[in-house]
Amino acid sequence: MKPSRSAFLSWIYDPKIRGIIAQVVTLVVLGLLVGWLAHNAVTNLAARGIASGFDFLNDPAGFGILQTLIPYTESDTYARVFVIGLLNTLLVSALGIVAATILGFIMGVARLSKNALVSALATVYIETFRNIPPLLQIFFWYFAVLQAMPSPRQSLGWFDAVFLNIRGLYLPRPIPTEAVTAFVVAVVLAFALWWVIARWAKRRQDETGQPFPVFWTGLGLVVLLPYLASLVFGSPFTWELPQLRGFNFVGGWVMIPELVALWVALSIYTSAFIAEIVRAGILAVPHGQTEAAMALGLTPQQRLRLVILPQAMRVIIPPLTSQYLNLTKNSSLAAAIGYPDLVGLFAGTVLNQTGQAIETIAMAMAVYLTISIMISLFMNWYNKRMALVER
Amino acid sequence: MTHETASSLQPPKVIFSPIGWMREHLFSSVWNSILTLITLYILWLLVPPVIEWAFLKASWVGTSRDDCTPGGACWVFIAQRWSQFMYGFYPEALRWRVDLAGILAVLWGGPLLFQRFPWKKLFGFSFLIGYPLIAWWLLYGGDLFGMTTVPTDQWGGLMLTLVIAAVGIAGAMPLGILFALGRRSELPVIKAVSIAFIEFWRGVPLISVLFMSSVMLPLFLPEGMNFDKLVRALIAVVLFQAAYIAEVVRGGLQAIPKGQYEAAQALGLNYWQMMGLIILPQALKLVIPGIVNTFIALFKDTSLVIIIGLSDFFMIIHRATVDPAWLGFATEGYVFAAAVYWIFCFGMSRYSIALEKRLNTDHRR
């Protein structure tokens, strides 16, 4: 081959030029695709007479909502419906995250138990619930359990305070009295003292090596101070109990069955995954660490608190946060049983009423994207903070 | 902190009798014994009623709800609706086509799961290329070679669930690998596009994606061009799962030592040869558990297609439980559905563990 010809064609083989060509082609194809889709959308919207833009948010919604955390009437705007949906999503996610964490840690530790029966039971729990679709679990709790509950007159009751029937779960509601200010001040003060004592104890231990039972002192303060406050100023709350009047209960807190079903199902489903994460985290701490802690003469509690747990948490927290994110995203399954969450309410009802599919779905997706970006920012910050400092 | 010297431990007692085992594993300390007793109490509360309901008092044969004894499970309901649960509303006379597609999948693709199968290459390639075409021809027909068309709105039941899962897996895998490579690419535009794609799909719930595919997709297509409802759901599932696969594969790509890339380049391989021959075979092997986990998630997620009105396995069962002729047997229906999903998911996770052990060829102890 003549050198001149190969030099002429050689630019095809230059990785840099190839890279630039590939990127330009990608950009052009992507641009054409987006343009084509946008063009279609504009023509279709015009042909169907659907308005675009976010003006619809100021229109009255005109439909009732099963559960609203802020005051709402049918004449309120779609913007308010959006906020209500968002709050309902956050409510069920927060409840679910708390319950799933507690259940998950219990099951994860139980699976590692030396007691063969306990660990077998935990294994069965984990393997059962993580292999059944969450939607099925939600339907089971909603249709097979809660819809089969008795009517209010025959409701299941515990201590005349908690009632469960087909209309939902009724709980006593605390109503603050005048003494509540003193109570809150006492709680805040107790935690502040705890913090001060913890700092003092750490400094003393660093200087003299003398340990101080910070946890028990703190716990004592948190229990004792509010108790004293309520003794002196009177009870901070009166409890409003749900009571049967005619065919239904009045008073108290009501958890609608949709919320209960969603909460129970999501908590159990996610707890099975959290249990596995906890187990893996604890197993990830090498046995040498336990032995070294024993050789230093640490008691079993100190071993767990000072050596094992901090190292296990480093492994546990990243997947744990992604499970929280999963739970939040799974809460959108609410749409299937009619719990008024963001997707069911906004991407469902509002979309059907206004026909503005692009705007409503974009808004619902934007919320989830914001949450997930916030969580991944937190993760990056956490990983940086927790990264092993190596020599 | 303790300051005393620990006393020497007794040599461990090696006891192989059942009583010895129980002493060590159930009653080794006071706390352990209490825990055992509590657990036994919980089991005693739970297990006997469940066994009584599901087996002892259950009714197995019959034709209507009158054949069921109260207090026990009514499996007659499942037996009577069995064919609907499996095939949905697929025309009865043509159900052999679904059976044939299933048998073909097992005989053609099944052997690939075994390590010692000799004609793996032959079966693998022909299966990957030939089976989707034949399955499409058998299930849909399309009036080709004398097969009458069965429109997808008649598909349903377990068959539809398996179709969605299989297409989702087959479509998400190559797309996910491409985006994983894109995210690791040194070309800024390609990297940015891949990151945006992956993070977008991973950040939103599948339900909203399905909503989007059913109400937004028609708006973005030109007048007159419209996809079948099932195809729209499949597009949504594939795009959604591809993002998850991409993140799993990226984990594998990151775990491959740099020396492997440098060695491949030193041999004069170009980018695609390097990835296809050196990097991906190692990376994919590393992430098999992650991929299988994604597939398990996908299989469970197929139940969400009810949101856009497809009658998958779970939806068919749910509809049957609200049928007036069989009202009040929701628990039986859900338990059956749960058992079927469980068998698939648990089976996949066990297979992945076995595969992981088999492929673990490195010299780690």
Side-chain angles (χ1 to χ4, degrees):
Chain A
M1 206 181 287
K2 286 176 191 170
S4 64
R5 200 184 155 205
S6 75
F8 173 67
L9 276 175
S10 69
W11 63 272
I12 298 180
Y13 299 103
D14 185 344
K16 256 188 202 158
I17 294 174
R18 279 189 165 196
I20 292 171
I21 293 174
Q23 298 189 68
V24 170
V25 169
T26 313
L27 271 183
V28 169
V29 169
L30 214 64
L32 285 177
L33 187 70
V34 170
W36 182 68
L37 293 177
H39 170 75
N40 287 333
V42 171
T43 354
N44 280 327
L45 288 176
R48 296 182 197 188
I50 301 176
S52 55
F54 291 93
D55 292 337
F56 73 100
L57 285 175
N58 298 319
D59 297 343
F63 60 91
I65 299 175
L66 208 54
Q67 173 192 295
T68 56
L69 295 182
I70 52 175
Y72 168 81
T73 58
E74 294 194 6
S75 55
D76 279 327
T77 59
Y78 286 125
R80 201 168 177 86
V81 173
F82 176 77
V83 175
I84 288 171
L86 178 60
L87 287 177
N88 283 342
T89 292
L90 292 179
L91 172 76
V92 74
S93 310
L95 286 175
I97 283 172
V98 172
T101 310
I102 296 170
L103 264 176
F105 271 78
I106 293 174
M107 285 299 161
V109 173
R111 195 171 178 182
L112 287 174
S113 166
K114 277 184 193 134
N115 188 317
L117 207 56
V118 171
S119 87
L121 197 67
T123 309
V124 169
Y125 174 92
I126 292 168
E127 291 297 349
T128 305
F129 289 113
R130 71 172 184 168
N131 284 321
I132 297 175
L135 186 70
L136 206 164
Q137 298 193 33
I138 293 171
F139 271 51
F140 173 79
W141 288 104
Y142 186 62
F143 288 107
V145 177
L146 292 173
Q147 294 286 304
M149 282 291 147
S151 66
R153 310 205 96 188
Q154 276 99 40
S155 29
L156 308 173
W158 293 274
F159 308 111
D160 283 336
V162 179
F163 296 94
L164 183 64
N165 60 46
I166 195 164
R167 302 259 176 94
L169 180 67
Y170 291 76
L171 301 165
R173 181 163 66 155
I175 295 175
T177 60
E178 282 140 24
V180 79
T181 329
F183 183 78
V184 171
V185 168
V187 171
V188 172
L189 198 70
F191 277 105
L193 273 177
W194 189 339
W195 184 73
V196 169
I197 289 174
R199 283 196 55 151
W200 166 80
K202 186 176 186 311
R203 195 145 25 113
R204 193 180 75 152
Q205 189 169 2
D206 285 349
E207 280 167 9
T208 65
Q210 286 290 315
F212 184 81
V214 174
F215 178 75
W216 293 111
T217 327
L219 198 68
L221 276 174
V222 168
V223 173
L224 215 71
L225 275 186
Y227 178 68
L228 281 177
S230 63
L231 272 191
V232 175
F233 296 97
S235 170
F237 300 107
T238 51
W239 295 91
E240 185 192 70
L241 298 181
Q243 273 168 346
L244 189 63
R245 294 269 167 77
F247 291 103
N248 207 352
F249 278 90
V250 282
W253 249 332
V254 192
M255 277 174 96
I256 54 173
E258 288 80 10
L259 176 61
V260 178
L262 201 60
W263 180 37
V264 172
L266 289 180
S267 305
I268 292 181
Y269 179 71
T270 313
S271 75
F273 289 90
I274 292 180
E276 281 300 88
I277 290 168
V278 169
R279 184 175 78 110
I282 293 174
L283 287 179
V285 181
H287 193 58
Q289 296 286 327
T290 315
E291 287 169 351
M294 280 158 98
L296 286 175
L298 298 183
T299 63
Q301 284 82 10
Q302 285 175 327
R303 224 151 64 204
L304 195 68
R305 195 163 55 84
L306 299 173
V307 179
I308 311 294
L309 271 187
Q311 298 187 61
M313 286 318 269
R314 194 199 300 276
V315 183
I316 289 173
I317 285 188
L320 190 64
T321 37
S322 76
Q323 281 307 319
Y324 290 166
L325 188 60
N326 278 348
L327 191 146
T328 311
K329 284 191 284 177
N330 279 337
S331 75
S332 60
L333 299 180
I337 56 167
Y339 175 78
D341 84 317
L342 184 67
V343 170
L345 204 58
F346 205 69
T349 316
V350 174
L351 189 152
N352 281 337
Q353 287 200 359
T354 62
Q356 295 198 285
I358 298 176
E359 290 86 349
T360 46
I361 289 185
M363 280 175 77
M365 282 185 159
V367 168
Y368 288 101
L369 276 178
T370 313
I371 297 175
S372 95
I373 287 171
M374 269 166 23
I375 287 193
S376 40
L377 285 181
F378 164 77
M379 289 298 311
N380 288 345
W381 170 82
Y382 179 84
N383 282 338
K384 229 172 245 163
R385 213 179 96 97
M386 279 292 163
L388 286 174
V389 183
E390 284 174 345
R391 271 165 297 165
Chain B
M1 210 183 277
T2 51
H3 296 279
E4 297 87 40
T5 311
S7 56
S8 330
L9 298 174
Q10 294 287 317
K13 290 178 194 139
V14 185
I15 306 169
F16 291 108
S17 70
I19 293 176
W21 181 88
M22 275 166 68
R23 192 174 288 162
E24 195 189 328
H25 290 278
L26 299 179
F27 301 102
S28 60
S29 64
V30 178
W31 163 240
N32 227 341
S33 309
I34 296 173
L35 218 56
T36 304
L37 292 179
I38 295 175
T39 316
L40 279 177
Y41 179 68
I42 295 175
L43 285 178
W44 182 70
L45 282 184
L46 286 177
V47 175
V50 168
I51 288 182
E52 194 176 287
W53 176 82
F55 299 106
L56 299 183
K57 281 193 175 175
S59 320
W60 301 88
V61 283
T63 49
S64 75
R65 59 182 302 147
D66 303 326
D67 297 318
C68 290
T69 47
C74 181
W75 300 123
V76 178
F77 166 52
I78 307 295
Q80 282 295 308
R81 292 299 183 94
W82 179 267
S83 66
Q84 202 188 50
F85 291 168
M86 294 297 126
Y87 306 99
F89 303 104
Y90 209 86
E92 246 166 88
L94 301 176
R95 283 180 184 168
W96 61 270
R97 281 161 48 173
V98 181
D99 294 337
L100 188 59
I103 293 169
L104 263 181
V106 171
L107 292 185
W108 200 350
L112 298 173
L113 300 178
F114 296 97
Q115 187 192 10
R116 286 162 182 253
F117 185 67
W119 304 296
K120 244 185 168 170
K121 258 189 191 154
L122 177 72
F123 267 59
F125 278 111
S126 64
F127 182 75
L128 279 182
I129 295 162
Y131 184 74
L133 295 173
I134 291 178
W136 178 83
W137 179 60
L138 279 174
L139 295 177
Y140 183 71
D143 296 323
L144 278 176
F145 310 114
M147 283 291 204
T148 44
T149 304
V150 180
T152 52
D153 53 7
Q154 291 181 2
W155 298 19
L158 189 61
M159 162 225 167
L160 182 66
T161 293
L162 292 176
V163 166
I164 296 173
V167 174
I169 288 167
M173 197 66 202
L175 203 60
I177 292 176
L178 272 184
F179 276 105
L181 292 177
R183 194 168 181 168
R184 298 270 295 161
S185 165
E186 281 162 8
L187 310 174
V189 172
I190 294 189
K191 189 172 176 177
V193 169
S194 305
I195 291 180
F197 176 91
I198 293 171
E199 293 304 327
F200 174 74
W201 294 110
R202 272 163 41 94
V204 296
L206 180 57
I207 281 206
S208 64
V209 178
L210 287 169
F211 263 122
M212 189 168 104
S213 79
S214 76
V215 294
M216 258 165 89
L217 200 63
L219 287 180
F220 284 120
L221 295 174
E223 201 70 29
M225 178 179 173
N226 210 352
F227 290 135
D228 183 281
K229 206 196 272 174
L230 175 63
V231 177
R232 281 189 302 206
L234 287 176
I235 292 174
V237 167
V238 165
L239 291 177
F240 185 78
Q241 288 301 328
Y244 284 85
I245 294 279
E247 280 303 89
V248 171
V249 173
R250 182 171 74 112
L253 290 175
Q254 276 172 344
I256 304 299
K258 209 163 176 236
Q260 295 289 323
Y261 291 87
E262 287 164 355
Q265 280 163 353
L267 285 175
L269 301 183
N270 68 27
Y271 179 81
W272 293 106
Q273 286 171 330
M274 171 173 84
M275 286 302 168
L277 298 174
I278 311 289
I279 306 299
L280 278 177
Q282 299 183 70
L284 290 181
K285 194 176 91 176
L286 276 180
V287 295
I288 280 176
I291 290 175
V292 176
N293 279 342
T294 315
F295 287 169
I296 293 175
L298 163 65
F299 190 76
K300 287 184 291 184
D301 280 347
T302 57
S303 59
L304 300 192
V305 296
I306 69 163
I307 296 292
I308 56 169
L310 290 173
S311 318
D312 78 321
F313 179 59
F314 178 52
M315 195 58 205
I316 286 272
I317 290 182
H318 175 66
R319 284 225 193 97
T321 62
V322 294
D323 174 1
W326 291 99
L327 219 50
F329 298 118
T331 310
E332 282 85 344
Y334 292 146
V335 167
F336 173 66
V340 171
Y341 279 108
W342 189 86
I343 290 170
F344 275 100
C345 295
F346 189 72
M348 278 193 268
S349 75
R350 289 299 110 166
Y351 180 72
S352 116
I353 290 172
L355 204 60
E356 197 183 340
K357 273 191 193 143
R358 200 178 78 200
L359 290 175
N360 193 1
T361 47
D362 65 5
H363 303 292
R364 219 181 294 145
R365 278 183 301 148

